[in-house]
mmCIF file with all atom_site columns, all heavy atoms in Angstrom:
data_model
loop_
_atom_site.group_PDB
_atom_site.id
_atom_site.type_symbol
_atom_site.label_atom_id
_atom_site.label_alt_id
_atom_site.label_comp_id
_atom_site.label_asym_id
_atom_site.label_entity_id
_atom_site.label_seq_id
_atom_site.pdbx_PDB_ins_code
_atom_site.Cartn_x
_atom_site.Cartn_y
_atom_site.Cartn_z
_atom_site.occupancy
_atom_site.B_iso_or_equiv
_atom_site.pdbx_formal_charge
_atom_site.auth_seq_id
_atom_site.auth_comp_id
_atom_site.auth_asym_id
_atom_site.auth_atom_id
_atom_site.pdbx_PDB_model_num
ATOM 1   N N   . PRO A 1 54 ? 28.112 94.652  -14.415 1.00 95.00 ? 54 PRO A N   1
ATOM 2   C CA  . PRO A 1 54 ? 27.229 95.690  -14.961 1.00 95.00 ? 54 PRO A CA  1
ATOM 3   C C   . PRO A 1 54 ? 25.845 95.640  -14.314 1.00 95.00 ? 54 PRO A C   1
ATOM 4   O O   . PRO A 1 54 ? 25.316 94.558  -14.036 1.00 95.00 ? 54 PRO A O   1
ATOM 5   C CB  . PRO A 1 54 ? 27.133 95.339  -16.446 1.00 95.00 ? 54 PRO A CB  1
ATOM 6   C CG  . PRO A 1 54 ? 28.338 94.514  -16.731 1.00 95.00 ? 54 PRO A CG  1
ATOM 7   C CD  . PRO A 1 54 ? 28.618 93.759  -15.458 1.00 95.00 ? 54 PRO A CD  1
ATOM 8   N N   . LEU A 1 55 ? 25.298 96.811  -14.075 1.00 96.00 ? 55 LEU A N   1
ATOM 9   C CA  . LEU A 1 55 ? 23.951 96.935  -13.523 1.00 96.00 ? 55 LEU A CA  1
ATOM 10  C C   . LEU A 1 55 ? 23.005 97.356  -14.633 1.00 96.00 ? 55 LEU A C   1
ATOM 11  O O   . LEU A 1 55 ? 23.206 98.395  -15.262 1.00 96.00 ? 55 LEU A O   1
ATOM 12  C CB  . LEU A 1 55 ? 23.915 97.977  -12.403 1.00 96.00 ? 55 LEU A CB  1
ATOM 13  C CG  . LEU A 1 55 ? 24.791 97.731  -11.186 1.00 96.00 ? 55 LEU A CG  1
ATOM 14  C CD1 . LEU A 1 55 ? 24.710 98.917  -10.245 1.00 96.00 ? 55 LEU A CD1 1
ATOM 15  C CD2 . LEU A 1 55 ? 24.371 96.454  -10.489 1.00 96.00 ? 55 LEU A CD2 1
ATOM 16  N N   . LYS A 1 56 ? 21.977 96.567  -14.853 1.00 96.00 ? 56 LYS A N   1
ATOM 17  C CA  . LYS A 1 56 ? 20.957 96.938  -15.831 1.00 96.00 ? 56 LYS A CA  1
ATOM 18  C C   . LYS A 1 56 ? 20.083 98.040  -15.245 1.00 96.00 ? 56 LYS A C   1
ATOM 19  O O   . LYS A 1 56 ? 20.110 98.301  -14.038 1.00 96.00 ? 56 LYS A O   1
ATOM 20  C CB  . LYS A 1 56 ? 20.100 95.718  -16.176 1.00 96.00 ? 56 LYS A CB  1
ATOM 21  C CG  . LYS A 1 56 ? 20.881 94.616  -16.863 1.00 96.00 ? 56 LYS A CG  1
ATOM 22  C CD  . LYS A 1 56 ? 20.000 93.427  -17.128 1.00 96.00 ? 56 LYS A CD  1
ATOM 23  C CE  . LYS A 1 56 ? 20.823 92.301  -17.755 1.00 96.00 ? 56 LYS A CE  1
ATOM 24  N NZ  . LYS A 1 56 ? 20.035 91.079  -17.937 1.00 96.00 ? 56 LYS A NZ  1
ATOM 25  N N   . THR A 1 57 ? 19.307 98.680  -16.071 1.00 95.00 ? 57 THR A N   1
ATOM 26  C CA  . THR A 1 57 ? 18.398 99.724  -15.615 1.00 95.00 ? 57 THR A CA  1
ATOM 27  C C   . THR A 1 57 ? 17.539 99.194  -14.471 1.00 95.00 ? 57 THR A C   1
ATOM 28  O O   . THR A 1 57 ? 16.962 98.110  -14.570 1.00 95.00 ? 57 THR A O   1
ATOM 29  C CB  . THR A 1 57 ? 17.492 100.195 -16.769 1.00 95.00 ? 57 THR A CB  1
ATOM 30  O OG1 . THR A 1 57 ? 18.331 100.697 -17.813 1.00 95.00 ? 57 THR A OG1 1
ATOM 31  C CG2 . THR A 1 57 ? 16.536 101.275 -16.324 1.00 95.00 ? 57 THR A CG2 1
ATOM 32  N N   . GLY A 1 58 ? 17.512 99.943  -13.371 1.00 95.00 ? 58 GLY A N   1
ATOM 33  C CA  . GLY A 1 58 ? 16.713 99.577  -12.208 1.00 95.00 ? 58 GLY A CA  1
ATOM 34  C C   . GLY A 1 58 ? 17.423 98.679  -11.204 1.00 95.00 ? 58 GLY A C   1
ATOM 35  O O   . GLY A 1 58 ? 16.940 98.499  -10.090 1.00 95.00 ? 58 GLY A O   1
ATOM 36  N N   . GLN A 1 59 ? 18.572 98.118  -11.562 1.00 96.00 ? 59 GLN A N   1
ATOM 37  C CA  . GLN A 1 59 ? 19.308 97.268  -10.630 1.00 96.00 ? 59 GLN A CA  1
ATOM 38  C C   . GLN A 1 59 ? 20.115 98.112  -9.645  1.00 96.00 ? 59 GLN A C   1
ATOM 39  O O   . GLN A 1 59 ? 20.526 99.225  -9.950  1.00 96.00 ? 59 GLN A O   1
ATOM 40  C CB  . GLN A 1 59 ? 20.248 96.316  -11.361 1.00 96.00 ? 59 GLN A CB  1
ATOM 41  C CG  . GLN A 1 59 ? 19.551 95.170  -12.037 1.00 96.00 ? 59 GLN A CG  1
ATOM 42  C CD  . GLN A 1 59 ? 20.558 94.180  -12.627 1.00 96.00 ? 59 GLN A CD  1
ATOM 43  O OE1 . GLN A 1 59 ? 21.581 94.568  -13.187 1.00 96.00 ? 59 GLN A OE1 1
ATOM 44  N NE2 . GLN A 1 59 ? 20.238 92.903  -12.513 1.00 96.00 ? 59 GLN A NE2 1
ATOM 45  N N   . SER A 1 60 ? 20.349 97.521  -8.461  1.00 96.00 ? 60 SER A N   1
ATOM 46  C CA  . SER A 1 60 ? 21.104 98.200  -7.403  1.00 96.00 ? 60 SER A CA  1
ATOM 47  C C   . SER A 1 60 ? 22.347 97.416  -7.040  1.00 96.00 ? 60 SER A C   1
ATOM 48  O O   . SER A 1 60 ? 22.448 96.215  -7.297  1.00 96.00 ? 60 SER A O   1
ATOM 49  C CB  . SER A 1 60 ? 20.228 98.352  -6.154  1.00 96.00 ? 60 SER A CB  1
ATOM 50  O OG  . SER A 1 60 ? 19.124 99.167  -6.419  1.00 96.00 ? 60 SER A OG  1
ATOM 51  N N   . SER A 1 61 ? 23.279 98.115  -6.396  1.00 96.00 ? 61 SER A N   1
ATOM 52  C CA  . SER A 1 61 ? 24.503 97.511  -5.899  1.00 96.00 ? 61 SER A CA  1
ATOM 53  C C   . SER A 1 61 ? 24.928 98.293  -4.657  1.00 96.00 ? 61 SER A C   1
ATOM 54  O O   . SER A 1 61 ? 24.353 99.338  -4.346  1.00 96.00 ? 61 SER A O   1
ATOM 55  C CB  . SER A 1 61 ? 25.595 97.566  -6.964  1.00 96.00 ? 61 SER A CB  1
ATOM 56  O OG  . SER A 1 61 ? 26.738 96.866  -6.527  1.00 96.00 ? 61 SER A OG  1
ATOM 57  N N   . VAL A 1 62 ? 25.958 97.785  -3.964  1.00 97.00 ? 62 VAL A N   1
ATOM 58  C CA  . VAL A 1 62 ? 26.409 98.405  -2.720  1.00 97.00 ? 62 VAL A CA  1
ATOM 59  C C   . VAL A 1 62 ? 27.899 98.722  -2.806  1.00 97.00 ? 62 VAL A C   1
ATOM 60  O O   . VAL A 1 62 ? 28.682 97.913  -3.286  1.00 97.00 ? 62 VAL A O   1
ATOM 61  C CB  . VAL A 1 62 ? 26.148 97.457  -1.521  1.00 97.00 ? 62 VAL A CB  1
ATOM 62  C CG1 . VAL A 1 62 ? 26.726 98.026  -0.236  1.00 97.00 ? 62 VAL A CG1 1
ATOM 63  C CG2 . VAL A 1 62 ? 24.666 97.185  -1.362  1.00 97.00 ? 62 VAL A CG2 1
ATOM 64  N N   . ILE A 1 63 ? 28.246 99.908  -2.323  1.00 97.00 ? 63 ILE A N   1
ATOM 65  C CA  . ILE A 1 63 ? 29.645 100.265 -2.096  1.00 97.00 ? 63 ILE A CA  1
ATOM 66  C C   . ILE A 1 63 ? 29.830 100.262 -0.584  1.00 97.00 ? 63 ILE A C   1
ATOM 67  O O   . ILE A 1 63 ? 29.118 100.968 0.135   1.00 97.00 ? 63 ILE A O   1
ATOM 68  C CB  . ILE A 1 63 ? 29.995 101.645 -2.659  1.00 97.00 ? 63 ILE A CB  1
ATOM 69  C CG1 . ILE A 1 63 ? 29.813 101.683 -4.175  1.00 97.00 ? 63 ILE A CG1 1
ATOM 70  C CG2 . ILE A 1 63 ? 31.418 102.041 -2.282  1.00 97.00 ? 63 ILE A CG2 1
ATOM 71  C CD1 . ILE A 1 63 ? 29.990 103.062 -4.792  1.00 97.00 ? 63 ILE A CD1 1
ATOM 72  N N   . THR A 1 64 ? 30.763 99.448  -0.098  1.00 97.00 ? 64 THR A N   1
ATOM 73  C CA  . THR A 1 64 ? 31.056 99.396  1.329   1.00 97.00 ? 64 THR A CA  1
ATOM 74  C C   . THR A 1 64 ? 32.338 100.163 1.592   1.00 97.00 ? 64 THR A C   1
ATOM 75  O O   . THR A 1 64 ? 33.370 99.894  0.973   1.00 97.00 ? 64 THR A O   1
ATOM 76  C CB  . THR A 1 64 ? 31.212 97.938  1.809   1.00 97.00 ? 64 THR A CB  1
ATOM 77  O OG1 . THR A 1 64 ? 30.002 97.236  1.537   1.00 97.00 ? 64 THR A OG1 1
ATOM 78  C CG2 . THR A 1 64 ? 31.505 97.874  3.298   1.00 97.00 ? 64 THR A CG2 1
ATOM 79  N N   . MET A 1 65 ? 32.258 101.122 2.489   1.00 97.00 ? 65 MET A N   1
ATOM 80  C CA  . MET A 1 65 ? 33.413 101.928 2.863   1.00 97.00 ? 65 MET A CA  1
ATOM 81  C C   . MET A 1 65 ? 33.897 101.459 4.232   1.00 97.00 ? 65 MET A C   1
ATOM 82  O O   . MET A 1 65 ? 33.096 101.324 5.155   1.00 97.00 ? 65 MET A O   1
ATOM 83  C CB  . MET A 1 65 ? 33.044 103.414 2.936   1.00 97.00 ? 65 MET A CB  1
ATOM 84  C CG  . MET A 1 65 ? 32.459 103.990 1.650   1.00 97.00 ? 65 MET A CG  1
ATOM 85  S SD  . MET A 1 65 ? 33.507 103.842 0.211   1.00 97.00 ? 65 MET A SD  1
ATOM 86  C CE  . MET A 1 65 ? 34.958 104.713 0.739   1.00 97.00 ? 65 MET A CE  1
ATOM 87  N N   . THR A 1 66 ? 35.207 101.216 4.352   1.00 96.00 ? 66 THR A N   1
ATOM 88  C CA  . THR A 1 66 ? 35.804 100.801 5.620   1.00 96.00 ? 66 THR A CA  1
ATOM 89  C C   . THR A 1 66 ? 36.797 101.864 6.062   1.00 96.00 ? 66 THR A C   1
ATOM 90  O O   . THR A 1 66 ? 37.738 102.193 5.338   1.00 96.00 ? 66 THR A O   1
ATOM 91  C CB  . THR A 1 66 ? 36.524 99.444  5.475   1.00 96.00 ? 66 THR A CB  1
ATOM 92  O OG1 . THR A 1 66 ? 35.567 98.472  5.032   1.00 96.00 ? 66 THR A OG1 1
ATOM 93  C CG2 . THR A 1 66 ? 37.116 98.997  6.806   1.00 96.00 ? 66 THR A CG2 1
ATOM 94  N N   . LEU A 1 67 ? 36.569 102.398 7.257   1.00 95.00 ? 67 LEU A N   1
ATOM 95  C CA  . LEU A 1 67 ? 37.426 103.423 7.833   1.00 95.00 ? 67 LEU A CA  1
ATOM 96  C C   . LEU A 1 67 ? 38.347 102.754 8.853   1.00 95.00 ? 67 LEU A C   1
ATOM 97  O O   . LEU A 1 67 ? 37.875 102.131 9.797   1.00 95.00 ? 67 LEU A O   1
ATOM 98  C CB  . LEU A 1 67 ? 36.575 104.498 8.515   1.00 95.00 ? 67 LEU A CB  1
ATOM 99  C CG  . LEU A 1 67 ? 37.325 105.624 9.205   1.00 95.00 ? 67 LEU A CG  1
ATOM 100 C CD1 . LEU A 1 67 ? 37.952 106.544 8.174   1.00 95.00 ? 67 LEU A CD1 1
ATOM 101 C CD2 . LEU A 1 67 ? 36.398 106.396 10.122  1.00 95.00 ? 67 LEU A CD2 1
ATOM 102 N N   . GLU A 1 68 ? 39.650 102.861 8.639   1.00 94.00 ? 68 GLU A N   1
ATOM 103 C CA  . GLU A 1 68 ? 40.637 102.308 9.563   1.00 94.00 ? 68 GLU A CA  1
ATOM 104 C C   . GLU A 1 68 ? 40.998 103.400 10.572  1.00 94.00 ? 68 GLU A C   1
ATOM 105 O O   . GLU A 1 68 ? 41.859 104.244 10.328  1.00 94.00 ? 68 GLU A O   1
ATOM 106 C CB  . GLU A 1 68 ? 41.856 101.818 8.795   1.00 94.00 ? 68 GLU A CB  1
ATOM 107 C CG  . GLU A 1 68 ? 41.521 100.690 7.835   1.00 94.00 ? 68 GLU A CG  1
ATOM 108 C CD  . GLU A 1 68 ? 42.679 100.290 6.952   1.00 94.00 ? 68 GLU A CD  1
ATOM 109 O OE1 . GLU A 1 68 ? 43.706 101.005 6.902   1.00 94.00 ? 68 GLU A OE1 1
ATOM 110 O OE2 . GLU A 1 68 ? 42.571 99.240  6.304   1.00 94.00 ? 68 GLU A OE2 1
ATOM 111 N N   . ALA A 1 69 ? 40.334 103.368 11.721  1.00 90.00 ? 69 ALA A N   1
ATOM 112 C CA  . ALA A 1 69 ? 40.418 104.455 12.696  1.00 90.00 ? 69 ALA A CA  1
ATOM 113 C C   . ALA A 1 69 ? 41.826 104.672 13.241  1.00 90.00 ? 69 ALA A C   1
ATOM 114 O O   . ALA A 1 69 ? 42.203 105.803 13.549  1.00 90.00 ? 69 ALA A O   1
ATOM 115 C CB  . ALA A 1 69 ? 39.446 104.188 13.844  1.00 90.00 ? 69 ALA A CB  1
ATOM 116 N N   . ALA A 1 70 ? 42.620 103.618 13.354  1.00 90.00 ? 70 ALA A N   1
ATOM 117 C CA  . ALA A 1 70 ? 43.978 103.753 13.888  1.00 90.00 ? 70 ALA A CA  1
ATOM 118 C C   . ALA A 1 70 ? 44.865 104.618 12.993  1.00 90.00 ? 70 ALA A C   1
ATOM 119 O O   . ALA A 1 70 ? 45.865 105.164 13.455  1.00 90.00 ? 70 ALA A O   1
ATOM 120 C CB  . ALA A 1 70 ? 44.605 102.370 14.074  1.00 90.00 ? 70 ALA A CB  1
ATOM 121 N N   . LYS A 1 71 ? 44.514 104.767 11.732  1.00 89.00 ? 71 LYS A N   1
ATOM 122 C CA  . LYS A 1 71 ? 45.303 105.575 10.788  1.00 89.00 ? 71 LYS A CA  1
ATOM 123 C C   . LYS A 1 71 ? 44.867 107.038 10.737  1.00 89.00 ? 71 LYS A C   1
ATOM 124 O O   . LYS A 1 71 ? 45.460 107.838 10.026  1.00 89.00 ? 71 LYS A O   1
ATOM 125 C CB  . LYS A 1 71 ? 45.203 104.986 9.380   1.00 89.00 ? 71 LYS A CB  1
ATOM 126 C CG  . LYS A 1 71 ? 45.844 103.632 9.236   1.00 89.00 ? 71 LYS A CG  1
ATOM 127 C CD  . LYS A 1 71 ? 45.744 103.152 7.799   1.00 89.00 ? 71 LYS A CD  1
ATOM 128 C CE  . LYS A 1 71 ? 46.441 101.825 7.593   1.00 89.00 ? 71 LYS A CE  1
ATOM 129 N NZ  . LYS A 1 71 ? 46.350 101.382 6.194   1.00 89.00 ? 71 LYS A NZ  1
ATOM 130 N N   . MET A 1 72 ? 43.819 107.375 11.470  1.00 88.00 ? 72 MET A N   1
ATOM 131 C CA  . MET A 1 72 ? 43.262 108.722 11.419  1.00 88.00 ? 72 MET A CA  1
ATOM 132 C C   . MET A 1 72 ? 44.040 109.696 12.296  1.00 88.00 ? 72 MET A C   1
ATOM 133 O O   . MET A 1 72 ? 44.539 109.332 13.348  1.00 88.00 ? 72 MET A O   1
ATOM 134 C CB  . MET A 1 72 ? 41.804 108.715 11.908  1.00 88.00 ? 72 MET A CB  1
ATOM 135 C CG  . MET A 1 72 ? 40.837 107.887 11.103  1.00 88.00 ? 72 MET A CG  1
ATOM 136 S SD  . MET A 1 72 ? 40.508 108.562 9.481   1.00 88.00 ? 72 MET A SD  1
ATOM 137 C CE  . MET A 1 72 ? 39.842 110.153 9.866   1.00 88.00 ? 72 MET A CE  1
ATOM 138 N N   . ASP A 1 73 ? 44.121 110.954 11.860  1.00 89.00 ? 73 ASP A N   1
ATOM 139 C CA  . ASP A 1 73 ? 44.598 112.028 12.721  1.00 89.00 ? 73 ASP A CA  1
ATOM 140 C C   . ASP A 1 73 ? 43.456 112.414 13.647  1.00 89.00 ? 73 ASP A C   1
ATOM 141 O O   . ASP A 1 73 ? 42.278 112.220 13.314  1.00 89.00 ? 73 ASP A O   1
ATOM 142 C CB  . ASP A 1 73 ? 45.007 113.247 11.883  1.00 89.00 ? 73 ASP A CB  1
ATOM 143 C CG  . ASP A 1 73 ? 46.258 112.987 11.055  1.00 89.00 ? 73 ASP A CG  1
ATOM 144 O OD1 . ASP A 1 73 ? 47.096 112.170 11.487  1.00 89.00 ? 73 ASP A OD1 1
ATOM 145 O OD2 . ASP A 1 73 ? 46.379 113.593 9.974   1.00 89.00 ? 73 ASP A OD2 1
#
Side-chain angles (χ1 to χ4, degrees):
L55 300 175
K56 296 178 183 176
T57 300
Q59 285 186 320
S60 297
S61 186
V62 175
I63 298 173
T64 301
M65 303 302 301
T66 301
L67 178 72
E68 297 174 349
K71 294 182 177 181
M72 298 291 300
D73 291 331

